[in-house]
Amino acid sequence: MSRLNPRQQEAVNWTDGPLLVLAGAGSGKTSVITQKIASLIQERGMPARHIAAVTFTNKAAREMKERVLKLVPREDARGLIVSTFHNLGLRILKTEMAAVKLRSGFSILDQSDSRELMRELLHRGESERDIQAVEFFQSKISQWKNDLVTPEQALSSADSEELQRAAITYGEYNRMLRACNAVDFDDLILLPVLLFREQPRILEKWRNRIRYLLVDEYQDTNGCQYELVKQLVEPLNKFTVVGDDDQSIYAWRGAKPENLAQLQSDFPDLKVIKLEQNYRSTGRILKAANAVIANNPHVFEKSLWSDYGYGDPIRVMSLRDEEAETEWIAGDIIHKRLTKALKWKDFAVLYRGNFQSRLLEMKFQTMQVPYKVSGGQSFFARTEIKDLMCYLRLLVNPDDDNAFLRIINTPRREIGPATLEKLANWSVKRGQGMYHVCDDIALDEALGGKAAARLREFKSWLDHKRQYCFSDNSLQAVKELISDMDYEGWLITQASSPRIGEKKVENVGQLVASIERMLNKQEEEDDSSDLEAVIRKLVLIDMLEQQEEEDDSDRVQMLTLHAAKGLEYPHVYMMGVEEELLPHRTSIEEDSITEERRLMYVGITRARETLTMTHALSRKQYGERIDTARSRFVEEMPADDIDFQGEGVQVDESKTEQVAEDTLAAIKAMLNR
């Protein structure tokens, strides 16, 4: 095992009761969790099957599991649960399907699928106003689920017509999910919690299964996740949670940093261990981070420190406008890379909102700087691509109820939510998938003549296309499927602007071209044309694209401050550090900038060696140019540790000349290699 500092070792050794490890940025919390798991197995003699560790991302869970397996022989780790909260919830639901009234093969709707179902329930289209209404209802229902509020409770407490409508929709939405043997992402936590409340015998079974629980990033838990943890650990209270209230930046998606403080109330014998030694950044960077975050109220006080030396001053650069800002950042990165013999991937540019990246991308392209934008939308996550992929999935697998639900009314076929709910109930009664029962003769009586006729027509049409899927005409079947339903025309009429409609049509063309290339390649390799195999490959490509954040190629990293959490880079640039961007205008108007300050803290603590902040003195907003002010957070940093440069700052001509000479020398050295 790697060597731990005294505080880390204390956290590993403490197993007699509830423990909160208050882990500052870069303080080695993953080492504590993984070595504690190893210690529980090897030194405390606890079977791995009785230990569970949960975190928030698949990547973090994978890394944690890999590190445990380097400390513990694989056979000793058999049965160990290391997963996300949602995967743990899914494990519980799959085991207790009958108790939660789910059937084998139940579907899990992602956010996009859920939005489509909500759109059907609300009879909304694709206009901007309709999209906003659907997103409001979806967000409100998700919030209720995260706060453990049932549809009945939501309706009884609704104090406006809009909330009453949302609560009624919440009930209809849940009924639709159950009828279709489906759950959404929030249900993966909510349903186990409700099950444990209602059936103590099942809860006791899981308490016996999980006898020690470790939770990472505890400050990001919502009310439902907190309750799940509490249910599983009581009454023995054998758990370790690791968190940092200063890095809680996800309140907008339900996270409650107050859950850390709630632990002390719910578990009076809670032991708190602080990890304050940072293994990432220079002393000056940590001093600035401590100074900024000290302006937030704290239940737990802590102060980061490091053995890595004091380091360079933090540069704060004032530029004329956003054009000058992005040009300076690109130029400075090129200069540093040349003069310091660095790699492109040593640099990261962080920003508050995705819109800030566009101009910098153009500068990087002009200056031939390789870059990667993290957190962008996957090609397969686009609505039009998900629609067509569901059509293709249904072509090769008629039992895919999730795919059926997404596309049955896309484009519109006048098949509403009430019809689908009755169809779902009928499919349960018949013990077949929803697609299979669309042409049942007895369906007229259950649904009514018109609705049943529309479903029969849909199934007959898709059955006809299926005949070609396993022949040499499979590509033609895909093209005819798209043209028969005039999908491209429907995209254009539904789009909020002609340009967006054209872009969606281009994406459809790109998908068809990809299928054609893959079919041709398949034919060259084994003289066959198997659409089912191609679709499976496309799904795999989607999964790989979603994992692209692990790409290790040599490119400058561009990402939002939210996406940067948990990452670190030698040289960090924070752009747009000004009022109404960071802190965001909404937080200023609502007088709630504590989370924005935590976002600033997260940004600062991503930097290992150097940190540069930039801001524009004027910025174009909503078609007009306005003067801007430097962020209040910069004023909270120690002035002695900042090197102010740029517009309005006294320029040291000798420094400018030296920079130019260093760059020229570096270029000459490269040419002479």
Side-chain angles (χ1 to χ4, degrees):
M1 293 189 186
S2 60
R3 190 172 176 183
L4 301 175
N5 67 40
R7 296 284 75 76
Q8 291 173 325
Q9 191 63 57
E10 184 184 5
V12 167
N13 293 343
W14 183 266
T15 57
D16 293 332
L19 172 65
L20 165 61
V21 180
L22 202 66
S27 62
K29 65 182 176 66
T30 306
S31 292
V32 168
I33 294 172
T34 54
Q35 296 212 30
K36 185 155 194 173
I37 293 170
S39 175
L40 285 166
I41 296 169
Q42 296 182 315
E43 296 171 22
R44 304 277 173 163
M46 181 174 285
R49 67 179 181 277
H50 291 313
I51 301 170
V54 291
T55 186
F56 280 84
T57 67
N58 287 316
K59 182 182 176 184
R62 260 194 324 271
E63 181 191 342
M64 199 178 288
K65 186 74 175 279
E66 287 165 4
R67 288 174 67 167
V68 169
L69 291 175
K70 288 178 181 176
L71 301 171
V72 177
R74 190 170 289 273
E75 59 271 17
D76 291 349
R78 192 170 289 117
L80 171 70
I81 296 174
V82 181
S83 75
T84 63
F85 264 103
H86 291 92
N87 276 329
L88 175 62
L90 179 58
R91 181 188 291 253
I92 295 168
L93 291 183
K94 281 183 173 178
T95 307
E96 314 295 346
M97 271 192 302
V100 289
K101 296 181 173 59
L102 288 170
R103 304 184 304 282
S104 180
F106 63 86
S107 300
I108 302 169
L109 273 59
D110 65 14
Q111 193 171 28
S112 175
D113 296 329
S114 172
R115 188 179 299 120
E116 287 300 306
L117 183 55
M118 197 76 67
R119 193 160 62 86
E120 289 296 328
L121 285 169
L122 295 168
H123 306 289
R124 297 282 186 164
E126 292 280 352
S127 70
E128 189 172 339
R129 185 177 175 184
D130 282 349
I131 289 169
Q132 286 175 349
V134 170
E135 287 178 348
F136 167 77
F137 279 84
Q138 186 181 24
S139 173
K140 192 64 197 171
I141 290 170
S142 178
Q143 181 187 329
W144 276 327
K145 289 191 175 191
N146 288 336
D147 289 340
L148 280 168
V149 177
T150 65
E152 296 74 24
Q153 291 168 330
L155 187 57
S156 66
S157 63
D159 56 5
S160 71
E161 191 175 325
E162 190 174 41
L163 286 178
Q164 284 179 348
R165 178 71 182 118
I168 292 167
T169 303
Y170 180 12
E172 293 172 347
Y173 171 73
N174 269 2
R175 281 196 301 278
M176 189 68 166
L177 285 176
R178 299 304 164 261
C180 299
N181 194 33
V183 297
D184 66 18
F185 212 52
D186 296 319
D187 285 333
L188 295 177
I189 310 295
L190 176 65
L191 293 182
V193 168
L194 295 178
L195 172 67
F196 289 162
R197 279 183 174 180
E198 294 162 6
Q199 301 204 33
R201 181 184 54 80
I202 293 177
L203 173 57
E204 190 60 31
K205 181 176 94 174
W206 281 92
R207 283 175 174 172
N208 286 329
R209 170 72 170 83
I210 300 173
R211 298 180 189 174
Y212 200 96
L213 182 65
L214 302 99
V215 185
D216 190 18
E217 304 286 8
Y218 201 71
Q219 75 282 348
D220 293 338
T221 55
N222 59 37
C224 205
Q225 288 159 338
Y226 182 93
E227 182 65 20
L228 180 63
V229 170
K230 194 163 174 286
Q231 287 176 326
L232 287 170
V233 301
E234 289 179 337
L236 298 178
N237 302 338
K238 301 275 190 178
F239 68 83
T240 295
V241 301
V242 181
D244 181 7
D245 50 350
D246 290 333
Q247 294 188 75
S248 182
I249 56 174
Y250 297 121
W252 50 277
R253 67 182 191 199
K256 293 186 173 181
E258 59 268 28
N259 282 350
L260 286 169
Q262 184 65 34
L263 281 169
Q264 284 191 315
S265 173
D266 289 341
F267 303 96
D269 56 341
L270 180 75
K271 184 174 179 63
V272 179
I273 296 174
K274 299 178 185 179
L275 303 184
E276 297 173 293
Q277 183 174 357
N278 175 282
Y279 293 94
R280 176 188 299 161
S281 308
T282 64
R284 201 188 300 258
I285 289 169
L286 296 180
K287 182 181 173 186
N290 288 333
V292 169
I293 206 65
N295 292 279
N296 269 4
H298 284 86
V299 175
F300 306 102
E301 296 290 341
K302 69 178 185 308
S303 182
L304 296 177
W305 60 276
S306 168
D307 282 336
Y308 286 6
Y310 201 50
D312 295 339
I314 295 166
R315 293 185 299 169
V316 174
M317 177 65 66
S318 303
L319 286 312
R320 181 184 66 256
D321 52 26
E322 63 268 47
E323 182 89 20
E325 179 186 38
T326 52
E327 188 167 334
W328 183 87
I329 290 172
D332 195 63
I333 288 174
I334 292 170
H335 163 73
K336 272 196 160 186
R337 179 177 175 273
L338 286 172
T339 57
K340 307 286 186 186
L342 299 169
K343 294 181 178 178
W344 294 116
K345 66 181 179 182
D346 291 333
F347 301 92
V349 184
L350 314 181
Y351 35 83
R352 179 63 178 83
N354 276 310
F355 73 92
Q356 293 171 262
S357 70
R358 293 168 198 149
L359 197 54
L360 184 60
E361 280 192 75
M362 291 168 64
K363 293 295 178 191
F364 279 162
Q365 289 167 7
T366 302
M367 297 184 177
Q368 296 186 316
V369 174
Y371 67 91
K372 175 177 180 290
V373 181
S374 296
Q377 187 183 36
S378 157
F379 176 73
F380 288 88
R382 300 176 193 280
T383 301
E384 61 276 14
I385 301 305
K386 289 201 73 159
D387 287 346
L388 289 182
M389 284 298 293
C390 283
Y391 270 105
L392 296 176
R393 280 164 47 192
L394 203 58
L395 278 178
V396 300
N397 177 19
D399 292 317
D400 193 335
D401 279 354
N402 195 7
F404 175 85
L405 282 170
R406 182 177 179 95
I407 55 85
I408 183 59
N409 215 24
T410 304
R412 290 271 184 266
R413 296 186 178 91
E414 297 182 52
I415 299 169
T419 298
L420 289 175
E421 189 171 358
K422 289 175 185 174
L423 180 69
N425 289 328
W426 185 260
S427 76
V428 172
K429 192 174 177 182
R430 293 296 303 270
Q432 291 180 291
M434 294 173 72
Y435 179 82
H436 287 293
V437 300
C438 281
D439 55 1
D440 273 13
I441 297 173
L443 208 56
D444 290 64
E445 191 176 333
L447 301 183
K450 286 185 179 178
R454 292 187 193 109
L455 288 169
R456 268 196 299 274
E457 184 182 348
F458 169 76
K459 185 173 185 297
S460 173
W461 168 68
L462 207 57
D463 280 345
H464 180 67
K465 295 290 170 265
R466 178 173 296 103
Q467 293 174 15
Y468 300 99
C469 286
F470 306 100
S471 70
D472 293 339
N473 294 321
S474 55
L475 179 66
Q476 187 61 28
V478 172
K479 290 179 176 177
E480 282 185 13
L481 183 145
I482 294 168
S483 62
D484 280 3
M485 60 183 175
D486 190 21
Y487 185 68
E488 294 180 351
W490 184 75
L491 286 175
I492 289 170
T493 59
Q494 294 294 310
S496 56
S497 74
R499 179 69 195 103
I500 289 174
E502 289 166 14
K503 183 65 181 170
K504 286 176 179 286
V505 171
E506 287 172 18
N507 289 336
V508 169
Q510 191 177 334
L511 178 66
V512 173
S514 296
I515 293 171
E516 184 171 14
R517 281 195 303 271
M518 293 170 78
L519 285 169
N520 289 339
K521 186 178 179 183
Q522 194 181 74
E523 198 165 0
E524 288 170 12
E525 290 175 352
D526 57 16
D527 198 30
S528 69
S529 182
D530 185 350
L531 184 63
E532 183 175 5
V534 166
I535 291 170
R536 294 196 190 285
K537 283 181 183 175
L538 283 170
V539 171
L540 180 60
I541 289 169
D542 181 21
M543 291 167 64
L544 292 173
E545 191 170 305
Q546 290 173 19
Q547 293 170 12
E548 195 187 9
E549 74 263 14
E550 297 174 44
D551 178 16
D552 196 38
S553 57
D554 190 22
R555 296 183 282 176
V556 176
Q557 302 299 302
M558 296 174 58
L559 62 170
T560 65
L561 287 160
H562 283 100
K565 185 169 171 287
L567 304 175
E568 57 183 83
Y569 305 94
H571 307 283
V572 168
Y573 293 76
M574 292 174 63
M575 63 185 286
V577 183
E578 57 204 53
E579 291 291 297
E580 299 199 356
L581 267 181
L582 184 66
H584 194 270
R585 177 190 301 171
T586 305
S587 69
I588 296 171
E589 290 171 352
E590 296 175 357
D591 194 24
S592 58
I593 64 164
T594 54
E595 180 154 331
E596 294 290 300
R597 188 176 280 111
R598 292 196 290 264
L599 207 50
M600 178 76 166
Y601 175 82
V602 165
I604 294 171
T605 53
R606 298 313 93 195
R608 297 209 306 253
E609 298 172 29
T610 68
L611 175 63
T612 303
M613 298 180 183
T614 64
H615 69 96
L617 296 174
S618 76
R619 192 175 292 275
K620 200 169 185 180
Q621 288 186 11
Y622 308 111
E624 61 176 296
R625 183 155 295 283
I626 61 167
D627 292 335
T628 63
R630 190 165 64 205
S631 170
R632 69 189 71 187
F633 299 146
V634 174
E635 314 309 319
E636 294 173 357
M637 293 160 55
D640 292 346
D641 294 300
I642 299 177
D643 180 10
F644 290 98
Q645 299 180 24
E647 301 266 337
V649 178
Q650 188 69 38
V651 177
D652 186 336
E653 296 293 343
S654 63
K655 271 189 182 180
T656 306
E657 290 173 11
Q658 188 61 51
V659 167
E661 288 175 13
D662 289 347
T663 305
L664 189 59
I667 293 171
K668 285 179 178 177
M670 285 181 67
L671 293 173
N672 291 330
R673 279 177 192 165

